[in-house]
Amino acid sequence: MGDELEYDPQRVWEACLSLIRPSVNPQAFHTWFQPIRPKKLDGTTLVVQVPNRFFHDYLEQHYRTVLRGAISEVLGSDASLLYEVVSAQPESVPPQARPSPPPENGIDAESQLSLRFTFDNFVEGSNNQFARAAALAVAQSPGQTAFNPLVIYGGVGLGKTHLLQAIGNHIRSQGNGHRVLYVSSERFTLDFITAIQNNRATEFSARYRSVDVLLLDDIQFFANKERTQEEFFHTFNTLYHKGKQIVLTSDRPPGDLKGVEERLISRFKSGLVTDIQPPDYETRLAILTKKAEENGIDLDPAIYDFIATHITSNIRELEGSLIRLLAYSSLTGQDITLRMAKEVLRDIVRPRHRRLSIELIQNIVAEHFGLPDDLLRARTRKQEVAHARQVAMYVAKKLTNASLKTIGLHFGGRDHTTVVHAVQTIEAALQNDESLRRDIEDIERKIDIATL
Ligand code: ADP
Ligand code: MG
C-alpha cells in the first residue's frame, strides 16, 4: 500500500472497487457499488456516502463480506467502514454519519436476533392479525400462556421470520434476563452435525436446553433428518417441562410436514398453531408506505398503488421493488415517477404477455381514441387514425414479444419498416409531448386491468 493511498479516500475507494468488481456480477456492481461516494479517510476508517437507508441496508445485507474484505485488503485488518446516508427527505437536515451496525449485520451475538425486526415495524393486517396477537401475547409472558409451543406457518416472504424475531426482541427489551435464542432449523442441523463430528454433542444439547425462549425458524427443514429430529425432540421436551417458551415457524401446517416424526408433529400441534396469509391490497399498501416512511422517502401515492396492485404474493418482493426504484433513481439522478416505476418494475409485476394479444391492444387503443377498432387494421390514412395506429404499434412493440413483421401483419398487412417508423415517431414525440405521455399511460393502465 502506497503512502499517498493512505490519505486519499478516492484512491482507497478505487482500489477497493477494483477488488470488488471481479467478485460481483456486473449489474450488481453497477447498481450497488458505483453510486457509493468515498468522503473521507479517518485513520483506517473509510467514510463513504450512500444515497439512502435502503441502500445502506441492502449493502449490509448482501455485500457486507465483500466490502469488509476489500477494505481490509486495502487498508489493513483493523480498517473499518463508516456509512453516511444522504436521506432523500428533509434537505435541511445534514447527512448523518452512522456507524456501521454492531457486529454481524446488526445481529445480537448472544441471541442471534436481528435487531431490525420488531412489533413496531410489523404492519398488522387481516392476513396476520391473529398470528401477531398470539406472538405478542407470548412475547409479553413467555412460557406463561397456553400458546406453547406457538407455531406460525405460511408461505414465503409473508413475515414469519419477522414475527419470530419480534418476539425475541420484545422479550430482550424488557430487560428481565430471559435468555433468548433464535436459530434457523438449517443452522440447528449444521451445528448439530458439527458437534457430533467434534464429540461435542453434550455441549450442543446443553446450549439449546438452557435457554428461556427458543425461536426456531423453518422447521420444514428438519424433514428426513432423523438424528436432528431426535435431538430436537429431547430439546423440546426439556424446555417444555421447564416451562420455557418455544416458538416455531414452518412453511406449511404441522400436519402437512412430510418426513417429520409423528411424535414431533403431535408436539407441534399441542400448543397454538396459527397461519399468516398473503396480504390483501390495503395491507400491501400500508406496508409499502410504512417502509418508505421509515426510510425518509415520500412517493406519489399512484406509485404505491401501482406496486401494491401488481405485487400481490410476497412482502419481500414489495420491499424489493421499492429498493429497485431507489437504486434506479439514485443511479440516473431522476426523480421516481409512476412512469419510471412501470419501466423499472416491468419484469417483476405480474407477467401479462400471456394474455396480451395485439388485438387486445388495438381494441384498447381504438377505444381510448374513440375510434372503431377495425379502423386501425384498415388502410385508411386519415390523420387521426394514423396517430392511433402508431400508438398501438408502439404499445404492441413495447408490451409484447411480437416481431416487427408480426406487428405489421396485424395492422392490415403493413411492412415492418412502417412499424419501425411508428415506434420511432412515438418515441420522439414522447420526449416533449405531455398529453401523449398521459394517453399512453392511460392505455397501459387499461391494458393492465384488462389482462389481470
Ligand atoms: P418469511 O419468513 O415468512 O419468509 P419474512 O419475515 O422474512 O418472511 O418477511 C419478508 C420481508 O417482509 C421482511 O423484510 C419483513 O420485514 C417484511 N414483512 C413481512 N411482513 C411484514 C409486515 N406485516 N409488516 C412489515 N414488514 C413485513
Ligand atoms: Mg423466514
Side-chain angles (χ1 to χ4, degrees):
M1 185 182 72
D3 273 348
E4 330 86 283
L5 198 58
E6 208 173 336
Y7 298 109
D8 181 357
Q10 185 66 39
R11 292 196 51 195
V12 168
W13 180 239
E14 275 163 20
C16 290
L17 283 183
S18 63
L19 292 169
I20 293 168
R21 192 192 289 270
S23 56
V24 301
N25 84 41
Q27 179 63 39
F29 185 80
H30 185 67
T31 307
W32 299 109
F33 293 94
Q34 236 124 280
I36 302 177
R37 299 278 166 263
K39 294 305 281 187
K40 65 171 187 236
L41 199 57
D42 235 347
T44 52
T45 299
L46 178 65
V47 183
V48 296
Q49 206 173 53
V50 294
N52 47 53
R53 261 313 304 258
F54 263 124
F55 226 93
H56 164 269
D57 293 350
Y58 195 91
L59 284 168
E60 279 294 295
Q61 272 171 37
H62 296 85
Y63 297 110
R64 187 187 159 82
T65 323
V66 178
L67 274 165
R68 295 293 188 280
I71 303 268
S72 41
E73 187 97 342
V74 176
L75 291 176
S77 57
D78 59 342
S80 58
L81 183 66
L82 209 64
Y83 292 95
E84 223 177 75
V85 177
V86 194
S87 176
Q89 224 199 7
E91 292 295 337
S92 54
V93 179
Q96 288 177 340
R98 54 196 332 271
S100 46
E104 293 309 317
N105 273 347
I107 291 177
D108 173 68
E110 192 200 315
S111 64
Q112 293 296 306
L113 286 167
S114 166
L115 308 175
R116 72 189 185 96
F117 297 116
T118 62
F119 282 108
D120 273 350
N121 60 23
F122 187 84
V123 175
E124 182 175 351
S126 53
N127 63 311
N128 60 33
Q129 213 161 29
F130 193 63
R132 181 187 170 278
L136 192 59
V138 159
Q140 283 163 348
S141 329
Q144 307 296 305
T145 68
F147 310 155
N148 201 14
L150 172 64
V151 179
I152 302 169
Y153 75 89
V156 175
L158 296 182
K160 301 183 298 295
T161 298
H162 190 135
L163 264 189
L164 188 63
Q165 300 228 18
I167 294 173
N169 283 318
H170 182 88
I171 294 173
R172 281 175 50 88
S173 73
Q174 302 303 297
N176 39 23
H178 285 309
R179 294 189 55 193
V180 179
L181 185 57
Y182 167 86
V183 66
S184 69
S185 300
E186 198 168 358
R187 177 89 262 153
F188 184 94
T189 305
L190 289 173
D191 285 356
F192 180 56
I193 294 170
T194 316
I196 294 174
Q197 285 165 350
N198 301 327
N199 287 322
R200 303 193 103 119
T202 319
E203 274 141 289
F204 177 91
S205 302
R207 171 154 179 253
Y208 282 96
R209 294 176 199 182
S210 62
V211 301
D212 297 303
V213 180
L214 180 62
L215 308 169
L216 184 66
D217 211 354
D218 291 318
I219 49 172
Q220 73 277 1
F221 190 82
F222 281 167
N224 305 317
K225 308 204 168 54
E226 286 154 27
R227 283 198 68 184
T228 308
Q229 286 182 33
E230 167 87 26
E231 171 66 23
F232 182 65
F233 181 72
H234 295 299
T235 305
F236 185 103
N237 289 340
T238 306
L239 291 175
Y240 186 81
H241 288 124
K242 286 197 279 183
K244 307 301 186 186
Q245 180 70 49
I246 302 160
V247 189
L248 311 167
T249 73
S250 164
D251 69 351
R252 66 202 74 183
D256 292 356
L257 288 166
K258 304 254 157 32
V260 175
E261 287 176 51
E262 202 42 54
R263 57 177 185 170
L264 262 182
I265 291 181
S266 72
R267 279 179 177 60
F268 295 163
K269 289 179 179 167
S270 66
L272 179 73
V273 176
T274 170
D275 66 339
I276 302 188
Q277 290 293 323
D280 55 23
Y281 170 83
E282 286 75 14
T283 310
R284 298 198 295 275
L285 199 62
I287 290 172
L288 270 175
T289 38
K290 173 113 186 162
K291 302 272 171 197
E293 187 190 291
E294 277 169 12
N295 290 277
I297 50 174
D298 185 16
L299 303 178
D300 177 354
I303 298 175
Y304 300 126
D305 171 68
F306 172 74
I307 300 175
T309 303
H310 287 88
I311 298 180
T312 53
S313 62
N314 186 321
I315 295 165
R316 195 170 292 132
E317 281 195 2
L318 276 183
E319 287 187 321
S321 59
L322 215 46
I323 293 174
R324 284 233 328 229
L325 278 182
L326 285 162
Y328 187 86
S329 138
S330 58
L331 273 172
T332 58
Q334 296 170 28
D335 285 342
I336 300 177
T337 60
L338 181 59
R339 189 154 170 262
M340 176 198 283
K342 289 183 172 177
E343 197 66 39
V344 172
L345 304 176
R346 163 108 36 94
D347 58 325
I348 50 174
V349 305
R350 104 213 315 280
R352 51 190 168 184
H353 306 297
R354 256 174 289 137
R355 290 196 228 171
L356 179 55
S357 64
I358 296 175
E359 284 71 26
L360 180 65
I361 293 175
Q362 289 170 333
N363 295 345
I364 288 172
V365 171
E367 184 201 274
H368 180 85
F369 289 109
L371 301 166
D373 49 321
D374 49 350
L375 263 192
L376 298 186
R377 296 184 276 269
R379 282 254 155 216
T380 174
R381 288 176 182 275
K382 268 169 76 183
Q383 181 55 39
E384 223 187 18
V385 179
H387 175 68
R389 188 186 291 127
Q390 287 187 328
V391 168
M393 287 179 170
Y394 167 85
V395 173
K397 180 73 196 110
K398 184 171 168 194
L399 300 185
T400 71
N401 295 320
S403 67
L404 296 167
K405 186 158 173 243
T406 306
I407 295 174
L409 285 175
H410 279 82
F411 286 84
R414 286 176 164 80
D415 192 68
H416 78 276
T417 54
T418 311
V419 183
V420 174
H421 177 71
V423 172
Q424 286 171 349
T425 307
I426 299 298
E427 274 172 356
L430 275 175
Q431 298 297 318
N432 42 32
D433 185 342
E434 260 305 312
S435 93
L436 175 62
R437 182 176 296 170
R438 269 197 304 277
D439 277 338
I440 291 182
E441 269 178 22
D442 269 2
I443 289 166
E444 289 187 16
R445 194 169 314 123
K446 287 173 185 161
I447 292 173
D448 275 344
I449 293 166
T451 50
L452 277 181

